[in-house]
Amino acid sequence: MYQFVTGPLAWVAFTVFFVGIIVRIVLYIRGLDWQLDRVAYRPHLKYGIKGALRSIFFWLVPFGTQSWRYYKGMTILVFVFHIGLIFTPIFLKGHNIILEERWGFSFPTISERTADLMTIAVIISGFILLLRRIAFPEVRILTTAYDVLIWAIAMAPFITGFVAYHQMGGNYQFWLILHILSGEIMLMAIPFTKLSHFILFFMSRMQLGMDFGIKRGGMKNKGFAW
Amino acid sequence: MPEGILCNKIPCKTKEMLNALLSDKSGKQYYNEMNHLQINTEALAATIKKTLKSRMKTWLEICAHCGMCADSCFLYLANNKDPKQVPSYKIQSTLGEIVRRKGDVDNAFMQMCMDTAWSKCTCCNRCGSFCPFGIDMGVMFGYLRGLCFSQGFVPWELKIGSGMHRIFHAQMDVTTEDWVETCEWMAEEYEEDWPGLKIPVDVQNADIMYTVNAREPKHYPEDLAEAAILFHIAGENWTVPSEGWEETSLAMFAGDWEACKIQVNTVYDAMRRLKPKRMVVTECGHAYRATVIEGPYWAGLKDGKTPVPSFHYVEWVAEALRTGKLKIDPSKKIKEPVTYQDSCNYIRNAGLADCAREIMSYIAEDFREMTPCREHNFCCGGGGGFNGLGRYREQRNIGLKIKRDQILATEAKLVIAPCHNCWDAIRDLEEIFKVGIRWSFLKPLLLKMVVVPEHLKPPEE
C-alpha cells in the first residue's frame, strides 16, 4: 500500500496537478475577450502588465492593500494559513528525503521544529477560519457544504501528517498512508474545485489589474491604490 | 409567449411607444404586466453561453465565500449589516443561480434579480477593490442588468431612459433644434455681462469639443452658460457639436447594450466630423464612464480609446488652474471647511482622484477629506440609476445614510460634487435628513473666485 501511494498514485497526483493547472491557465487566458471584458488587452500590453503586477504584488503583501488593512484579524489568519499550507510540505525534511529517493532531487529544508510549528499554525488558523464561517452572519449566509468539503480537503493532510509524525494515532502506518492519500487528493482536487484559486487567484488578479491598468485610470495616473 | 403592451422584451424604439410608457403613471400598468411576462429560457441560456467568459465564470466559481466584500458595500452597512446585502450573496443568489440553472428560471426569480440588480447595487465597484481574488461584483451586476433587460425585466424609468437614447440620442427629449437654440439663448442671455461670449456650434478643428448631460440644456441651462464663460475667460478655442453633444447613458444603467452603442456613436461621429484636438465633458460621472471608459468597447474600437483624447471636466479645470488659464483670486478662495464627493465613475473607475485634489488645493483653504476617500470613497448612494427609480425610492433613501455620516464627520457644510448623480443624491439627503449642508458643482464656485482679465470685462457704464 505504501509503495502504491508513494509510487504510481503519487505520479498520477502530480501529473493531474501540473497538467490541470496548466490547462486552467490556458483556458482562462483563451477565454479573455477584449470586447466582452471591455479591456483592450493587446494594444496597451505594457500598461496591462504593469497593472497586473501591481494588482498581484500588493495583495501578496500582508496589510499591503486597504482591504487587508481593514480586516486585520482576517489578514493574519489568511496569511498564516496559506504560508503554512504552501511552504510546509515543500520544505519539509521527510518529503524531501522521499523526493530525493524517488525522483533524485530535493529542495532546501526547514527544521522539524519549524515545520511542526507551521503545521500547528495551519491547523489552528484553519479552525478559526471555520468558526468564522459559523460565527459571523455575513459569512454564514455565504457558506455551503461545498466550502466545508474544500476546507476539509485542505486541512486533512496537515491533521493526518501531524498525527502520524507525533505517533498519536496508535497505528503509525495507517496514519501515514492516510496522510499521503489526503495530500494526493488535495493535489488532484486543485484543478477541479475552488482550490483552483491556487492558480486562478493570479489569473483573476492579473485580469483586474489589467482592467484598472488599461481602462480604469491606469493610463492617466500612477496606478490603482490597492 | 405572453408579452405586455408596455412591459415586454422589445426595447422602446418609437415615439408612440415612448409616449405610451410615459403616460403610464409611475409604471403601474407596466409593473402589472411584468407579473405575466414569460422568460425565454433558451435565449437566456444562449446569451450566457456566448457572453459569460472566463473572467466572470472564474469569479463565480472561485469566490471563497469569505465575506470580505461585506463591509465594502454601503448598502450592507446602511441596512444594519443585513447578510442579504453582502455583495457576494447578492450576485451568487442572482447571476450565479441563473448560470447554475442554465437560464431555466421563472418570472418571480427574474423579478427578484431585477430588484437586486437595481436596488441592492449601484455598480460603484467598491467591492471589487475589497476582494482578494479581484472579484468585481459591480461588473457582474452590470452584466446581470443586461440579462434582465433582454428579458424585459427592467425598471420602468430605465426602459423609458434607454428609449430616449434610441429616439432622441439623449437621455431626455431634447432635439437637435432644442439644443442649438439653448446654446444661442444662453450666449445671448449672458453676452451683456461678457462681451464677445459665444457658444460656437459645429466649429471644425477646435481645441476642445465640449459635451454635456441632457439635463443641463433641459433643466439647468445656466450650467451651459457657466461652462461657456469659463472657457471664455480661459481663452479656449472651443465648440459644441449640434449632434452628438450628449454624453450620458441611461442605457448603461438599463443594461441596453445596443442603445449604449447607438448613443456613444453619436458622440464619436461628432468627433470624427469636427476633428477637435480633444473632447471635454461636463461635471457628470456616468457620462464620462459611459462615453470615455466603456463606450469604445460598445462601439468596437479595438484600442479602447475614443476617436480623440477625452477628458473629464475636473481634468480640464485642474489643467487650467495649473497652467494659469484660470487664476483664482486668493481673497475669494473658499474659507469655510469644504469636502469633496468622489464620484465612483471617474475617481475609482477612471483614476482621476489627483485632479480633484489639485483643484481643491487652488480653491479651498480648509479642504477636508472624507473617510474613506479617493478610490475608496463610498458611492453617493444614488449611482447606477438608483436616484431615479420610484420603485426603489425607500431603499435609496436608506442608503443615503452612509454618505450623510461621512459628510457630517468632516464637519464641512459645503460639499463639492462634480457629478450629476452625486449632486442629486446629496441634495436629496439634505432634503430627507436636514443636516444643514450645501452642495455645488465646480462651475458656479469657480465663477465666483476666478480673476477676470481686464479686456473681458464689460465696458464701464
Side-chain angles (χ1 to χ4, degrees):
Chain A
M1 189 66 179
Y2 179 78
Q3 287 304 321
F4 174 70
V5 292
T6 57
L9 197 59
W11 270 105
V12 171
F14 279 104
T15 310
V16 168
F17 168 71
F18 283 113
V19 173
I21 58 173
I22 290 167
V23 169
R24 298 281 337 219
I25 294 172
V26 171
L27 287 180
Y28 185 89
I29 293 174
R30 281 185 48 181
L32 292 177
D33 184 307
W34 73 273
Q35 197 164 12
L36 290 172
D37 302 346
R38 298 195 216 131
V39 183
Y41 299 111
R42 278 180 206 278
H44 308 293
L45 202 56
K46 221 179 77 194
Y47 285 98
I49 290 170
K50 185 185 159 209
L53 292 176
R54 291 181 83 262
S55 162
I56 293 169
F57 173 77
F58 287 106
W59 284 90
L60 287 179
V61 178
F63 308 108
T65 67
Q66 45 99 37
S67 181
W68 287 139
R69 289 189 289 275
Y70 182 87
Y71 294 109
K72 290 189 180 67
M74 181 65 174
T75 302
I76 293 168
L77 282 177
V78 167
F79 277 91
V80 166
F81 182 75
H82 283 87
I83 289 170
L85 193 86
I86 294 166
F87 295 109
T88 316
I90 297 178
F91 301 117
L92 190 84
K93 268 207 184 101
H95 289 176
N96 279 284
I97 291 167
I98 300 173
L99 263 184
E100 189 68 54
E101 262 179 35
R102 295 289 158 103
W103 293 334
F105 75 97
S106 61
F107 298 106
T109 54
I110 49 176
S111 75
E112 296 195 342
R113 196 180 147 70
T114 311
D116 215 28
L117 285 175
M118 283 168 79
T119 303
I120 293 168
V122 169
I123 293 170
I124 293 176
S125 57
F127 272 99
I128 301 176
L129 285 168
L130 185 67
L131 283 178
R132 196 179 157 271
R133 289 201 176 279
I134 301 160
F136 296 156
E138 75 272 24
V139 199
R140 199 187 313 140
I141 194 170
L142 299 172
T143 300
T144 62
Y146 179 45
D147 293 318
V148 180
L149 175 69
I150 294 298
W151 175 89
I153 291 175
M155 290 286 280
F158 289 84
I159 295 170
T160 53
F162 189 78
V163 171
Y165 176 77
H166 291 280
Q167 316 226 341
M168 289 157 75
N171 187 341
Y172 172 73
Q173 195 69 14
F174 168 79
W175 283 100
L176 182 68
I177 288 172
L178 206 58
H179 167 67
I180 297 166
L181 262 178
S182 62
E184 287 164 349
I185 287 172
M186 179 168 88
L187 281 178
M188 289 190 281
I190 285 173
F192 302 105
T193 65
K194 262 188 203 194
L195 293 174
S196 57
H197 76 260
F198 173 82
I199 191 67
L200 293 178
F201 162 85
F202 294 95
M203 296 289 108
S204 182
R205 281 244 64 89
M206 171 197 77
Q207 193 283 327
L208 197 70
M210 291 181 100
D211 188 328
F212 277 96
I214 292 168
K215 183 175 80 165
R216 291 196 245 175
M219 295 173 81
K220 282 190 175 178
N221 66 12
K222 295 192 289 276
F224 192 82
W226 293 106
Chain B
M1 192 162 288
E3 293 273 304
I5 299 162
L6 301 175
C7 185
N8 47 45
K9 297 181 184 63
I10 307 153
C12 171
K13 292 176 182 172
T14 62
K15 278 190 189 169
E16 293 71 41
M17 186 66 197
L18 188 64
N19 288 332
L21 278 161
L22 283 166
S23 58
D24 174 26
K25 208 96 181 93
S26 357
K28 220 171 153 202
Q29 184 191 338
Y30 178 86
Y31 287 121
N32 256 331
E33 290 178 4
M34 190 180 281
N35 293 329
H36 307 287
L37 199 55
Q38 231 175 44
I39 322 298
N40 183 345
T41 53
E42 279 162 32
L44 199 52
T47 307
I48 291 167
K49 195 158 179 240
K50 216 168 75 192
T51 58
L52 191 103
K53 296 293 183 103
S54 62
R55 174 175 71 158
M56 271 191 262
K57 235 190 238 165
T58 303
W59 281 346
L60 287 172
E61 182 191 339
I62 66 172
C63 171
H65 295 165
C66 70
M68 281 176 72
C69 52
D71 284 10
S72 74
C73 182
F74 76 99
L75 283 163
Y76 169 75
L77 298 174
N79 286 283
N80 302 319
K81 304 201 167 193
D82 176 1
K84 293 206 158 147
Q85 287 278 2
V86 175
S88 169
Y89 176 80
K90 288 186 274 194
I91 199 68
Q92 290 285 349
S93 60
T94 53
L95 179 62
E97 202 54 30
I98 296 179
V99 173
R100 274 186 287 277
R101 295 196 209 165
K102 296 194 167 64
D104 190 13
V105 292
D106 60 17
N107 183 296
F109 186 86
M110 283 307 282
Q111 289 204 40
M112 185 276 282
C113 286
M114 177 183 85
D115 292 340
T116 308
W118 277 281
S119 77
K120 293 184 171 183
C121 178
T122 61
C123 300
C124 80
N125 305 84
R126 191 166 190 265
C127 48
S129 75
F130 258 65
C131 172
F133 290 169
I135 300 175
D136 193 330
M137 285 147 275
V139 168
M140 286 198 275
F141 270 111
Y143 178 77
L144 177 63
R145 287 180 178 198
L147 293 183
C148 288
F149 183 89
S150 72
Q151 294 289 326
F153 292 87
V154 59
W156 173 70
E157 291 89 342
L158 288 176
K159 174 129 186 180
I160 293 170
S162 84
M164 288 280 184
H165 284 290
R166 286 167 178 272
I167 297 158
F168 292 99
H169 297 159
Q171 62 158 285
M172 291 172 178
D173 51 350
V174 180
T175 63
T176 302
E177 294 74 43
D178 296 339
W179 160 248
V180 173
E181 269 170 31
T182 307
C183 291
E184 287 165 359
W185 167 42
M186 279 297 118
E188 277 166 28
E189 189 83 9
Y190 286 85
E191 207 186 4
E192 208 170 307
D193 294 337
W194 300 93
L197 180 75
K198 284 196 174 63
I199 300 184
V201 180
D202 279 343
V203 176
Q204 285 206 329
N205 304 310
D207 290 339
I208 291 173
M209 180 179 102
Y210 181 62
T211 53
V212 302
N213 175 326
R215 267 171 36 139
E216 293 167 0
K218 180 101 176 168
H219 297 304
Y220 311 101
E222 311 77 32
D223 192 284
L224 181 61
E226 288 162 356
I229 295 165
L230 286 164
F231 282 143
H232 182 64
I233 295 172
E236 292 286 13
N237 167 19
W238 69 293
T239 189
V240 293
S242 58
E243 306 213 13
W245 49 269
E246 162 73 305
E247 288 258 326
T248 70
S249 185
L250 296 184
M252 175 170 76
F253 292 161
D256 179 357
W257 310 126
E258 195 188 352
C260 285
K261 183 177 173 177
I262 295 170
Q263 181 60 47
V264 295
N265 270 331
T266 66
V267 183
Y268 301 161
D269 286 344
M271 291 178 183
R272 294 184 186 110
R273 183 161 45 87
L274 300 180
K275 301 179 183 64
K277 285 204 181 69
R278 54 181 178 160
M279 190 274 286
V280 172
V281 57
T282 189
E283 297 173 67
C284 181
H286 93 274
Y288 182 80
R289 177 87 178 268
T291 310
V292 182
I293 304 294
E294 313 289 352
Y297 299 96
W298 298 326
L301 305 179
K302 287 194 171 156
D303 65 349
K305 295 274 165 203
T306 51
V308 301
S310 298
F311 298 85
H312 191 271
Y313 200 73
V314 297
E315 293 181 274
W316 179 78
V317 172
E319 178 203 286
L321 292 169
R322 194 186 316 133
T323 56
K325 281 183 189 171
L326 290 180
K327 287 194 185 67
I328 299 298
D329 180 342
S331 67
K332 292 182 182 160
K333 280 171 85 167
I334 303 169
K335 306 232 169 6
E336 64 172 317
V338 54
T339 188
Y340 189 97
Q341 163 55 18
D342 293 291
S343 159
C344 309
N345 280 324
Y346 69 84
I347 302 277
R348 175 160 38 257
N349 291 303
L352 302 182
D354 285 335
C355 291
R357 272 71 205 170
E358 194 179 355
I359 295 169
M360 296 311 285
S361 76
Y362 284 99
I363 68 170
E365 285 183 2
D366 186 3
F367 171 51
R368 311 269 179 100
E369 288 279 15
M370 291 182 196
T371 311
C373 61
R374 298 174 62 101
E375 289 96 333
H376 303 298
N377 208 328
F378 285 109
C379 170
C380 59
F386 208 9
N387 270 336
L389 305 178
R391 185 177 166 105
Y392 309 126
R393 196 65 174 175
E394 199 184 326
Q395 290 95 317
R396 199 286 309 253
N397 292 350
I398 292 170
L400 292 174
K401 281 191 295 195
I402 301 299
K403 190 52 65 185
R404 176 198 66 188
D405 295 346
Q406 266 188 299
I407 293 171
L408 288 177
T410 68
E411 295 182 345
K413 295 286 176 216
L414 176 62
V415 186
I416 298 183
C419 167
H420 276 266
N421 259 312
C422 299
W423 190 94
D424 281 6
I426 293 167
R427 176 199 61 202
D428 289 359
L429 84 81
E430 173 58 30
E431 204 168 275
I432 295 161
F433 300 111
K434 307 213 169 17
V435 288
I437 52 165
R438 288 166 286 119
W439 57 95
S440 179
F441 286 115
L442 278 168
K443 294 183 197 99
L445 296 172
L446 287 167
L447 271 179
K448 272 189 234 160
M449 57 181 103
V450 71
V451 176
V452 181
E454 278 307 318
H455 70 280
L456 294 181
K457 287 182 179 165
E460 297 281 331
E461 299 273 312

